[in-house]
Amino acid sequence: MNRIWNSIVGKLWATILLLVSFVLFIVTALLLEFFDNFHTRQAEETLLREANTIGSIIQDHDNEQAMQLVVHDILNNGTSAIIVDNTGGIAYSFHDKDLDAKPIESKILQDEELSSRSGKDSLSKQMILPSMTEKDVSERYIVSSAPVPNDRASHVIVYQSFEAIHDTTKWTTHIVLLSAFIAFLLTTFFAFFLSTQITRPLRQLKEAAFQLSKGNFNARIPVKQNDEIGQLSTAFNQMGRQLKYNMELIKQDKEQLSSILTSMTDAVITFNRDHTILLSNPQAEKLLQKWSFLNQETDELLPPEINHMLEHAITFAEEVDAELEIGGLYFVVAISPLYSRNSIRGAVAVLRDMTEQHQLDKLRSDFIANVSHELRTPISMLQGYSEAILDGVPETMEENHEMVKIIHDESQRMGRLVTDLLDLARMESGHMRLYKSEMAVVPFLLRVQNKFTQVAKDSEVSLSVQPNGQESLHIQADEDRIEQVFTNLIDNAIRHTPNGGSVTLSVEKYPKNVAISVTDTGSGIPEEDLPYVFERFYKADKARTRGKSGTGLGLAIAKNIVESHGGTISARRGDGAGTIFTAVLPLE
């Protein structure tokens, strides 16, 4: 019910209904008043006619009995009459025999205006007289008087109760009320029908508007009329089409911007004025997670350096850029203010992670320094011994031969260094070609063991192989390259293991790969240096040298060879002492 009254249909229907009901009420009241007065006048005129008629009958009829019969026939039901003689008394009285009319007649005769009407005009008036049906009750009566020009009577008085008039008007009242009720029903129906016809397009507009608010821009309203509501529907449909077109453009621009932000290698973060983050790309999310992990003791999402730059950009409306070191990471940060009309609503920050670039620059400088360092010694020795030979320093052929041998050994060392550098550069550029074939793992390790048996004996180091039941294990690999890896690992292990120590080659098979380990019992590599042992020219212990035969590139070359086979190589400290190098190669 509340839904109807809160709608335009209910309000319009109620307004029309109330207006028409008010008009019908006024019209019905006026009609009832009109018909009441009309019937009263009609009754007065009828009584006057009857009084005049009775007066004429009295004048024309000498026979009293015939006259009384005629008068009884003239009087209507509910109408009574008295004939007043010349003395003012009642000559004749005509009324229902069952009714007592004496109180009424005496009351009428007491009225001076009615009791002395001889020779005068007719008169009609309303009086309050006693009821003929109930005692001690008064009623309204219409009383009419007409003169009689006859010696037998002075005038005729005819009277009738208003109850008789009301009985006459009762049907008229029923008809008027029934007509008003039918008019009310018809008005209700047509008002509701009219309001429904008017508000149906409005309800359709409301539903379509809700659909638009939910994102359904295909909602349309059927246009069935050319009036203002039809024009409103047409304008609404045009608005829906335009909104759909604009939303598609915005969606395309948003998707394009999202794709650009996602594909960017730089971190992009949009801030509000209060430094809250509004938008960020995946790179920025990773960076924020990294900062949060590094700064777990504080609730700040951003480092204080960036907060300071952000505050400066928003306060002074200036672009700020700087290179920062945050938690051992290097970033180039550029922050620009964002405007909303003439006010600053926030800022956008672009952060480029330069950590890898710094590491590459450091590796490049370290590489140049290490190469220079590695080449300086043989070049100095070549220059020194060649100058000594030119200056005739060696006095005997044996001394001359020794110097020439040193020059030859240093030149070979330089050659090996250059060869290793070329191999490493070729591997890192992806130009190394592998010739894979089926390789039996345990026989391969036994062959490498035989290769270093004499070296191990000379160093008083025990060299052994632990097959662990994998004698029939085969993999697809370039055997020459894999031999180069383990040659380097075993050579390093023997050279860094003291006398009486041991070097063990072991094999472990897993569902998808095989792990081959080289374990020594030497002093081991410090824990903090293990992540860097595969870098070029890296030395964990400056006092520990590889000897003249080492170039410092063996482990870097070994790492590239293993990774070219789709595997990994790692180094860790042994359980008691020494170092364990493990190469993991795929089975397929």
Side-chain angles (χ1 to χ4, degrees), residues 567-584:
T568 58
I569 188 171
S570 61
R572 61 184 176 88
R573 289 186 60 86
D575 297 334
T579 307
I580 302 174
F581 283 87
T582 303
V584 180

Side-chain angles (χ1 to χ4, degrees), residues 301-576:
L301 291 176
L302 300 173
E305 298 88 349
I306 295 182
N307 275 322
H308 178 72
M309 294 176 63
L310 187 60
E311 184 67 29
H312 183 87
I314 293 176
T315 303
F316 298 99
E318 295 179 352
E319 293 186 2
V320 183
D321 57 86
E323 184 172 351
L324 303 176
E325 180 183 0
I326 304 173
L329 304 177
Y330 295 87
F331 298 94
V332 173
V333 183
I335 301 179
S336 301
L338 295 176
Y339 294 89
S340 178
R341 295 184 179 178
N342 295 328
S343 61
I344 297 177
R345 62 180 179 87
V348 58
V350 180
L351 301 94
R352 178 171 295 177
D353 191 350
M354 302 297 292
T355 304
E356 186 177 354
Q357 184 66 34
H358 273 264
Q359 292 177 349
L360 291 176
D361 292 340
K362 184 176 182 302
L363 287 175
R364 186 181 298 109
S365 60
D366 291 345
F367 175 75
I368 293 174
N370 288 328
V371 170
S372 301
H373 176 74
E374 293 292 334
L375 292 176
R376 181 182 302 166
T377 300
I379 291 175
S380 299
M381 293 182 70
L382 288 174
Q383 289 178 346
Y385 282 107
S386 61
E387 289 178 357
I389 292 174
L390 291 175
D391 293 338
V393 173
E395 297 179 353
T396 64
M397 289 297 296
E398 293 181 358
E399 292 179 355
N400 186 68
H401 183 269
E402 183 66 26
M403 291 183 179
V404 172
K405 186 177 184 301
I406 293 173
I407 293 173
H408 180 265
D409 291 340
E410 294 299 327
S411 64
Q412 284 185 333
R413 181 181 175 188
M414 290 179 60
R416 287 195 302 270
L417 177 62
V418 173
T419 301
D420 289 345
L421 286 173
L422 292 176
D423 290 342
L424 185 60
R426 189 181 302 110
M427 293 177 187
E428 291 180 347
S429 63
H431 294 158
M432 182 180 66
R433 186 174 180 180
L434 298 177
Y435 298 93
K436 292 184 178 182
S437 61
E438 186 172 332
M439 184 183 79
V441 177
V442 175
F444 164 77
L445 294 179
L446 293 174
R447 181 166 57 82
V448 176
Q449 178 193 18
N450 293 331
K451 179 179 178 181
F452 283 92
T453 299
Q454 188 60 42
V455 177
K457 287 181 180 181
D458 294 341
S459 300
E460 298 182 4
V461 173
S462 174
L463 179 61
S464 62
V465 176
Q466 293 180 357
N468 295 325
Q470 304 298 328
E471 287 79 1
S472 60
L473 181 63
H474 291 73
I475 62 172
Q476 293 290 328
D478 188 333
E479 190 169 345
D480 291 338
R481 292 294 184 180
I482 296 299
E483 183 178 349
Q484 183 178 355
V485 171
F486 285 96
T487 297
N488 183 275
L489 295 178
I490 295 172
D491 181 62
N492 287 341
I494 292 173
R495 286 191 287 110
H496 294 105
T497 301
N499 297 341
S502 63
V503 176
T504 304
L505 306 180
S506 60
V507 181
E508 293 290 340
K509 181 182 178 183
Y510 297 97
K512 294 184 179 181
N513 47 48
V514 58
I516 306 174
S517 301
V518 178
T519 306
D520 64 60
T521 58
S523 58
I525 301 175
E527 193 73 32
E528 63 273 10
D529 292 325
L530 286 175
Y532 309 103
V533 294
F534 295 101
E535 293 182 6
R536 292 168 292 187
F537 299 112
Y538 185 84
K539 293 183 180 180
D541 186 358
K542 304 305 179 186
R544 269 174 46 186
T545 62
R546 302 181 180 89
K548 295 183 179 181
S549 60
T551 62
L553 299 174
L555 291 178
I557 294 174
K559 178 182 178 182
N560 277 274
I561 293 175
V562 173
E563 290 179 351
S564 299
H565 281 78
T568 58
I569 188 171
S570 61
R572 61 184 176 88
R573 289 186 60 86
D575 297 334

Side-chain angles (χ1 to χ4, degrees), residues 35-311:
F35 282 114
D36 186 67
N37 294 332
F38 174 76
H39 286 294
T40 301
R41 288 194 303 271
Q42 289 290 327
E44 291 178 351
E45 292 175 358
T46 300
L47 292 179
L48 283 174
R49 284 196 302 269
E50 290 179 354
N52 289 324
T53 302
I54 292 173
S56 301
I57 292 172
I58 294 173
Q59 184 179 359
D60 295 340
H61 289 74
D62 294 333
N63 189 341
E64 293 183 359
Q65 186 176 3
M67 180 267 293
Q68 292 180 7
L69 292 173
V70 174
V71 171
H72 274 294
D73 292 337
I74 292 174
L75 293 175
N76 295 323
N77 293 331
T79 303
S80 303
I82 56 175
I83 298 174
V84 182
D85 59 15
N86 292 325
T87 62
I90 298 175
Y92 302 98
S93 177
F94 302 95
H95 57 82
D96 293 338
K97 295 180 179 180
D98 298 333
L99 301 177
D100 183 12
K102 290 181 179 181
I104 297 176
E105 292 174 351
S106 62
K107 190 77 172 177
I108 292 174
L109 292 177
Q110 291 176 5
D111 189 279
E112 296 180 357
E113 194 175 3
L114 293 174
S115 62
S116 58
R117 297 300 300 171
S118 178
K120 295 185 179 181
D121 296 333
S122 301
L123 174 66
S124 181
K125 64 182 296 185
Q126 298 182 14
M127 296 180 66
I128 303 299
L129 300 174
S131 174
M132 290 189 294
T133 58
E134 300 179 10
K135 293 181 179 181
D136 300 330
V137 176
S138 298
E139 296 179 1
R140 288 177 62 193
Y141 284 81
I142 297 177
V143 182
S144 297
S145 176
V148 178
N150 193 305
D151 294 337
R152 291 183 298 176
S154 170
H155 57 277
V156 178
I157 298 175
V158 181
Y159 60 92
Q160 185 181 36
S161 175
F162 262 89
E163 291 295 328
I165 298 175
H166 289 163
D167 291 339
T168 305
T169 59
K170 185 180 295 182
W171 289 107
T172 304
T173 303
H174 288 168
I175 292 173
V176 172
L177 293 177
L178 181 61
S179 301
F181 181 71
I182 293 174
F184 178 80
L185 292 179
L186 292 176
T187 301
T188 301
F189 174 75
F190 285 112
F192 190 79
F193 176 77
L194 178 62
S195 61
T196 302
Q197 291 298 317
I198 293 175
T199 56
R200 181 181 297 147
L202 297 180
R203 290 197 302 270
Q204 293 175 346
L205 278 171
K206 180 191 71 173
E207 294 298 330
F210 279 133
Q211 292 296 324
L212 284 182
S213 66
K214 294 177 182 178
N216 181 16
F217 298 102
N218 294 319
R220 295 293 181 269
I221 303 173
V223 181
K224 299 180 180 179
Q225 47 197 13
N226 294 323
D227 55 4
E228 288 81 359
I229 296 179
Q231 294 174 0
L232 177 61
S233 301
T234 302
F236 184 89
N237 292 336
Q238 292 177 353
M239 180 187 70
R241 286 191 292 268
Q242 190 64 33
L243 280 175
K244 181 180 179 181
Y245 174 74
N246 292 335
M247 290 303 296
E248 288 179 351
L249 288 181
I250 294 174
K251 184 178 180 181
Q252 291 176 1
D253 293 341
K254 186 177 180 180
E255 290 177 351
Q256 183 178 1
L257 178 60
S258 177
S259 299
I260 293 174
L261 289 176
T262 303
S263 60
M264 288 180 64
T265 57
D266 298 338
V268 180
I269 308 175
T270 302
F271 297 94
N272 206 346
R273 285 188 61 90
D274 57 356
H275 296 192
T276 57
I277 297 175
L278 300 177
L279 179 67
S280 60
N281 63 348
Q283 289 73 16
E285 293 291 339
K286 295 178 182 178
L287 189 59
L288 291 172
Q289 292 177 1
K290 184 184 297 184
W291 283 341
S292 177
F293 178 77
L294 294 176
N295 300 279
Q296 296 181 359
E297 66 278 0
T298 178
D299 295 333
E300 294 292 334
L301 291 176
L302 300 173
E305 298 88 349
I306 295 182
N307 275 322
H308 178 72
M309 294 176 63
L310 187 60
E311 184 67 29

